[in-house]
Amino acid sequence: MSSNSKVYTLEEVAKHNTKDDCWLIIGGKVYNVTKFLEDHPGGDDVLLSSTAKDATDDFEDVGHSTTARAMMDEYLVGEIDATTIPTKVKYTPPKQPHYNQDKTPEFIIKILQFLVPLAILGLAVAVRIYTKSESV
């Protein structure tokens, strides 16, 4: 590409997002693919869904042939100002404390709900055995 090629901002390219006017950003370059929409093997919806953003990943994920890559030159209209494309932020989940269910108050309550009736039953059996042995 020559040094006098037009440089577009993302805002300028984003305006071209219809079937009548479709521009894509791929590999730092801007392509006017309006004339190619009907001929695209994946259909025009695939191209239209990649407008107003950096479509490089979308393009590379499909695995286009060398012929497809060579065809791109005829649709080239300029380059993108990389400073206008937002940087991708990797999602990191918030830090959470380790959850140990054996030490929660709910777990202690569940244990007590099981052990207290069992202890009462055991005490009742012991009293019954003790009182029966004295009366004999």
Side-chain angles (χ1 to χ4, degrees):
M1 175 145 273
S2 63
S3 61
N4 61 2
S5 66
K6 175 98 167 101
V7 176
Y8 297 93
T9 65
L10 179 61
E11 185 179 339
E12 290 172 316
V13 175
K15 294 176 184 175
H16 305 273
N17 61 357
T18 65
K19 287 185 177 187
D20 299 324
D21 187 20
C22 181
W23 289 19
L24 297 178
I25 302 167
I26 301 172
K29 296 181 181 180
V30 180
Y31 298 91
N32 181 350
V33 294
T34 308
K35 294 177 183 175
F36 185 66
L37 287 175
E38 291 181 17
D39 299 329
H40 187 260
D44 58 358
D45 290 338
V46 175
L47 296 176
L48 289 169
S49 68
S50 297
T51 60
K53 65 176 185 174
D54 185 355
T56 304
D57 289 340
D58 296 343
F59 181 81
E60 296 298 337
D61 287 347
V62 174
H64 286 87
S65 66
T66 53
T67 307
R69 292 175 188 277
M71 288 176 62
M72 293 172 63
D73 289 339
E74 68 181 272
Y75 301 105
L76 184 64
V77 292
E79 295 183 0
I80 189 71
D81 180 359
T83 61
T84 63
I85 297 178
T87 57
K88 294 180 185 173
V89 178
K90 183 181 176 191
Y91 174 76
T92 53
K95 298 278 186 204
Q96 295 182 352
H98 178 67
Y99 176 72
N100 186 354
Q101 80 177 40
D102 295 341
K103 294 184 179 181
T104 61
E106 293 88 13
F107 182 74
I108 293 170
I109 290 172
K110 287 180 184 177
I111 292 291
L112 289 177
Q113 286 176 340
F114 175 74
L115 291 179
V116 168
L118 194 61
I120 292 172
L121 180 64
L123 185 60
V125 169
V127 168
R128 176 76 173 152
I129 291 174
Y130 179 72
T131 57
K132 195 170 198 169
S133 65
E134 283 186 3
S135 62
V136 174

